[in-house]
Amino acid sequence: LAMLYRHRDTFKNGLWRQELLFVLMFAAALFWKFSFPNIDAHAEQLTDLAFITSYMSGVSLPPPDYWLPQLRLDFYYSFQQYGAALLGRILGLTPGYAMNLAAAILLSLLGSLAWFVAGRYRAPRWSRLLLVYAIMLGGTGIAPFTHFILDTSKSAGDRAYTATTHIWSNVRFAGMFDAQLQDNQLTRALFAQAATATQTRPALPARDLPLETISYLTFQGEYHAPQGGWLLLFLALACLALLEAPKLATTHGRVPDDNTTARAPQAVLAATLPLTLITNTWVFPLHAALLLGWVIHRYTRKAPPDWPALLIGGGGALLLAYPFISQFAMQALVTPIRWVTPVDHTPFNRYLTIHWPALLLLALAALRMRRQRYTLLLVTLFAGLLLGSELFYADDPMGEQYNRFNSTLKWWSWIYPAILLGLGSILLGAGRGWRWATAAVLLLVSTLSIDMAAYWYYADKSAMGRLTGHHWLTRDQVDKQILGWLTAAPP
C-alpha cells in the first residue's frame, strides 16, 4: 500500500489495469483451488508438499528432509517450494494451505505478466484478454479435435471422467491417447499412416511424448517445477518487451516511452537465468539461448546491452543461489545430450497435430517480420529450439518408449507457451489482418477451456473450501486423530 501511494500518479495513469488483471486472475485461481483443494496422491502433489513442509521448519538450509528424515533436503528444483514455505511462515499457515495459496499467486503472476507483454506491443484489450485466456486455459493443437477423434465410450455417463480424458489427451496424445481413437473416416485420414507403420514393427511400443500446459497443471492441482520455469520465462519476455517494444511500435507510427537502455529490466532479465538452475533446471539451456540471442541482437542493432546491469543481476542471483546449488551439483546425474534415433522421432502426423498452433504463429511472424530484427530473433530462436528438440534429447535413466519422455516434457512445455506469448503478442499488435489470424489460432487453442469448465461442473467438490488440503484424509475420523496426534508430537 505504501508503494502504491508513493507511485499513485503512475497507478492512476494506467498501472491499475495491470494490478486489476492480477487481482482478477488471483480470484479465478483461488476459486479453482477453493473448489479442488485436496493435496493427495495425484501426480507430484505430495512431493511438493513434502518439500514445503521440510522448508517450513525454519532451520539452516538445507533442512532435514521430512520424507527421509535421516537426510537433508537438497533436491535440485525446490526453490519454488521454498517460496511457498516462506509465504506460509510469514502468514502462519499450514503447509497445505501455503501450497494452495502459493499456487493461486503463481497463476495470477503468469496471467498478469502475459497481459503486460501483450500491452507493450499495443494489442487491443480484447485480443490481450484472448491471449491470456488461451495461455492460462488453452491446450495444445489437439484441443479442437479431441471431441471428434477420441473414443470415450468407456466413460459413458461419467462426464467428469470424459472431461478428464480430454484434458489428459491434450498433453499425452503422442504415444498414449493416440491409441484410443475412434474408428471413423477422420481418424483414418489423419492417423492411418502411423498405425500401419506400427503394425510392421509390433515389438516397438509407441513413444510417449508429452507436452504439459498451464491449464493441465492447474487441473492436476500441482505446484511443480514447470510452473516456476514458466514464471521466469514470462518475466524474461516481459523484460524483453519493455526493452524492445518501443523499437517495434515506431513502425506503426507510435513512439511510446523509450526504455531500450533501462538498467533495471536488464538486471532482472539476467537474474532469471541462474534462477532456472534451482527452479526448473531442465530449461536452463533454453533460457540461456533466449538471453544469448537477445545479446547478439543488441550488438547487431549497435546498441550493446548494459553489461554492468547484466552482471549485477545475473551475478548477484548466482551468488545468492550458489550455497543451494553447491548442495546438489556434486551428486547430479550424468545426462548427456544425444541424437534422436529414427525410431524415437515423433511421427509427423502426431507432431503436426500437437504443434500446429506454434508452427502457424512462427509462419505468421516470419511473414510479418520484414525488417524487425527482434521478431526475427524470436522466430529464429523458437524455430531452432523446436527443431532441436526433435533432433536431440537428454539421455536420462528412462528408456524405450520413455526415451525422450523427460526431454519433450520439459522442453516442449517451455517452447510452446514461449511462442504463444512471445510471438502472439507481437502479431496481435501488428495490424488487423495479422491480429485476426492470430486470434483464430488462440480461439481454437482455447477450446480446452470447455473441458476445464465441464470438469469443474461435474467433478466431486466435497472438499470445497478446505484449503489445508487434507480433507481427503481427515474425513475419516481415525485418520484425523492420527494426523492430529502426529502434528502435536515432537519431530
Side-chain angles (χ1 to χ4, degrees), residues 169-189:
S169 66
N170 261 270
V171 300
R172 300 291 293 276
F173 178 71
M176 187 174 179
F177 281 88
D178 53 358
Q180 301 180 24
L181 300 178
Q182 299 177 21
D183 184 17
N184 57 39
Q185 187 175 358
L186 178 62
T187 57
R188 285 193 296 271

Side-chain angles (χ1 to χ4, degrees), residues 110 113 117 229-240 265 268-269 272 275 287 421:
L110 289 173
L113 281 170
V117 172
W230 290 326
L231 180 60
L232 295 173
L233 166 64
F234 284 20
L235 183 57
L237 290 175
C239 291
L240 291 175
V268 174
L269 175 65
T272 60
L275 287 177
H287 204 98
L421 179 57

Side-chain angles (χ1 to χ4, degrees), residues 51-114:
F51 289 176
I52 293 170
T53 305
S54 297
Y55 280 127
M56 286 188 75
S57 61
V59 300
S60 298
L61 302 181
D65 190 332
Y66 274 27
W67 194 279
L68 301 168
Q70 300 305 314
L71 303 176
R72 294 275 176 174
L73 180 67
D74 55 2
F75 207 74
Y76 67 97
Y77 63 64
S78 55
F79 179 61
Q80 175 181 323
Q81 288 77 11
Y82 173 79
L86 184 61
L87 172 73
R89 284 179 58 81
I90 292 172
L91 299 180
L93 305 175
T94 61
Y97 203 119
M99 176 173 160
N100 279 325
L101 184 60
I105 293 173
L106 194 149
L107 289 171
S108 51
L109 287 171
L110 289 173
S112 59
L113 281 170

Side-chain angles (χ1 to χ4, degrees), residues 54-387:
S54 297
Y55 280 127
M56 286 188 75
S57 61
V59 300
S60 298
L61 302 181
D65 190 332
Y66 274 27
W67 194 279
L68 301 168
Q70 300 305 314
L71 303 176
R72 294 275 176 174
L73 180 67
D74 55 2
F75 207 74
Y76 67 97
Y77 63 64
S78 55
F79 179 61
Q80 175 181 323
Q81 288 77 11
Y82 173 79
L86 184 61
L87 172 73
R89 284 179 58 81
I90 292 172
L91 299 180
L93 305 175
T94 61
Y97 203 119
M99 176 173 160
N100 279 325
L101 184 60
I105 293 173
L106 194 149
L107 289 171
S108 51
L109 287 171
L110 289 173
S112 59
L113 281 170
W115 174 265
F116 172 81
V117 172
R120 290 296 298 179
Y121 298 110
R122 298 304 191 263
R125 190 172 302 170
W126 68 266
S127 64
R128 294 167 69 184
L129 288 172
L130 176 59
L131 179 66
V132 173
Y133 188 86
I135 289 173
M136 301 303 297
L137 288 173
T140 64
I142 193 66
F145 310 114
T146 53
H147 288 261
F148 307 105
I149 66 174
L150 280 184
D151 181 3
T152 56
S153 56
K154 293 181 180 179
S155 61
D158 188 344
R159 296 189 178 182
Y161 186 80
T162 300
T164 299
T165 301
H166 290 149
I167 295 170
W168 264 82
S169 66
N170 261 270
V171 300
R172 300 291 293 276
F173 178 71
M176 187 174 179
F177 281 88
D178 53 358
Q180 301 180 24
L181 300 178
Q182 299 177 21
D183 184 17
N184 57 39
Q185 187 175 358
L186 178 62
T187 57
R188 285 193 296 271
L190 290 175
F191 304 107
Q193 184 179 359
T196 303
T198 53
Q199 288 172 8
T200 63
R201 294 180 297 182
L204 295 176
R207 272 32 192 169
D208 198 345
L209 305 170
L211 189 169
E212 292 184 342
T213 59
I214 295 174
S215 56
Y216 171 74
L217 290 189
T218 302
F219 158 77
Q220 287 285 78
E222 290 191 41
Y223 183 70
H224 210 49
Q227 293 162 303
W230 290 326
L231 180 60
L232 295 173
L233 166 64
F234 284 20
L235 183 57
L237 290 175
C239 291
L240 291 175
L242 194 64
L243 294 165
E244 301 298 331
K247 178 69 175 178
L248 294 179
T250 56
T251 63
H252 308 303
R254 293 184 292 268
V255 184
D257 53 310
D258 190 352
N259 290 290
T260 56
T261 59
R263 305 191 70 182
Q266 295 189 58
V268 174
L269 175 65
T272 60
L273 181 59
L275 287 177
T276 61
L277 287 171
I278 59 176
T279 304
N280 189 16
T281 318
W282 277 80
V283 302
F284 174 79
L286 283 68
H287 204 98
L290 176 63
L291 268 62
L292 178 61
W294 174 75
V295 170
I296 295 173
H297 157 73
R298 293 303 291 258
Y299 275 103
T300 61
R301 277 184 52 194
K302 297 182 179 180
D306 190 323
W307 282 105
L310 295 181
L311 292 175
I312 291 173
L318 181 63
L319 183 65
L320 291 170
Y322 177 75
F324 176 80
I325 296 173
S326 65
Q327 295 294 323
F328 66 77
M330 300 303 295
Q331 53 187 326
L333 291 174
V334 177
T335 54
I337 302 297
R338 302 192 188 279
W339 282 98
V340 175
T341 58
V343 72
D344 286 325
H345 279 299
T346 313
F348 179 73
N349 48 11
R350 267 69 166 171
Y351 187 90
L352 197 60
T353 304
I354 295 169
H355 292 289
W356 70 261
L359 295 173
L360 193 52
L361 290 181
L362 282 169
L364 289 172
L367 292 172
R368 175 66 186 85
M369 61 189 181
R370 298 178 185 174
R371 298 180 180 179
Q372 295 177 355
R373 294 182 181 179
Y374 177 65
T375 307
L376 174 62
L377 161 69
L378 295 185
V379 170
T380 305
L381 175 70
F382 294 149
L385 291 176
L386 198 56
L387 176 63

